[in-house]
Amino acid sequence: MATKSSNPASTGVKMVTIGPEQAGQRIDNFLLTRLKGAPRSLIYRILRKGEVRVNKGRIQAPYRLKEGDQVRIPPVRLGDRAVTTPAERVLRQVEASILFEDKRIVILNKPSGLAVHGGSGISYGVIEALRALRPDAPFLELVHRLDRDTSGCLIIAKKRSALRTLHELLRENRIDKHYLALVKGEWHGGPARIEAPLKKNVLSSGERIVRVDPEGKAAISLFRPLAVNPTASLLDIKLETGRTHQIRVHATHEGHPIAGDDKYGDENFNKQLRNLGLKRLFLHARRLVFAFDDDGPHIDVTAPLEASLHDVLTELKLEFHE
């Protein structure tokens, strides 16, 4: 494991011992992970100047780290490019949201409104908060993503080997992902398999939007009604593919847009639900079920709905039991 080190934006030289999880990683990529917010040009400059040393010797960007290597990281001024430290309130929120943790992964109940990572005008997200909470953790990386306004189960890998395995499971559709969505209108009939290819588009305004398009990528969602009335329906949605905005677009395509969806939803329905207390997108990654290998135990994690969403269901007289 890496030795304890201080904040990368501080002024002191840091010495880091490479553990098994970093072994095999290129030194430039390792530094990008350690020096959050640093541009690649800065990384390559300090490598060229010999300010970064491995076992007291100069190395080049393609050098691959070995277990036990001693890496000298020089003092670096990141200035305005440094990632903002998450607020204490956010750190407490993320810490309290952890549902499951072992030596390989962390699964947390991501709050609605918090991005999974910083970027595009967002100073920080879940991954930056978790890294701030675990400064000595040698490896913390997102396994998948959730939209900023979507809450629920989010997996972070604590080992590179776990990240590789989970990406393989995702590609092979061997992770059961179930969502809860409150949609407009009365859902007729039972479960439905929605197969509608999706394509990303950019509007003239620059806004990115996803549409059903025969030329798009294959996308499959399984919709199952849990509670239904003439105003709204609560659905369990299982994903067989993981396209951007897949559930939101498929729901609208079926004539049942998700409550609180400002991009793909129904304005009048959203207003009606706001009057009942809904202040966010009603989409929640409720449950994850998977196993790392065929012989291993299943990991089965459920993220509870926040109280405000339960209150909306109560107002609509839609009974749902966690």
Side-chain angles (χ1 to χ4, degrees), residues 63-76:
Y63 176 81
R64 292 192 178 274
L65 295 165
K66 302 178 181 63
E67 185 174 355
D69 277 352
Q70 298 289 318
V71 180
R72 176 192 186 273
I73 301 177
V76 171

Side-chain angles (χ1 to χ4, degrees), residues 14-67:
K14 287 166 282 294
M15 298 300 299
V16 178
T17 302
I18 298 303
E21 289 305 313
Q22 294 99 350
Q25 189 175 18
R26 282 174 52 128
I27 184 65
D28 54 349
N29 291 331
F30 171 76
L31 292 171
L32 284 167
T33 301
R34 297 291 299 194
L35 301 174
K36 292 297 178 184
R40 284 185 177 271
S41 58
L42 174 60
I43 298 297
Y44 294 137
R45 183 164 70 247
I46 61 177
L47 283 167
R48 275 197 315 273
K49 292 172 68 176
E51 295 179 35
V52 177
R53 301 286 179 118
V54 176
N55 302 327
K56 300 183 179 180
R58 296 173 70 121
I59 35 79
Q60 302 298 316
Y63 176 81
R64 292 192 178 274
L65 295 165
K66 302 178 181 63
E67 185 174 355

Side-chain angles (χ1 to χ4, degrees), residues 270-296:
N270 289 345
K271 182 178 180 180
Q272 181 183 2
L273 270 291
R274 278 197 299 271
N275 291 335
L276 295 180
L278 183 64
K279 299 179 180 179
R280 50 158 289 192
L281 177 72
F282 201 126
L283 181 60
H284 178 70
R286 182 190 178 209
R287 188 181 178 200
L288 289 171
V289 184
F290 63 93
F292 273 95
D293 51 64
D294 293 337
D295 299 324

Side-chain angles (χ1 to χ4, degrees), residues 99 108-110 151-153 284-287 301-305 322:
L99 300 169
L108 53 82
N109 185 3
K110 186 191 84 64
S151 57
C153 292
H284 178 70
R286 182 190 178 209
R287 188 181 178 200
V301 176
T302 298
L305 272 180
E322 294 275 12

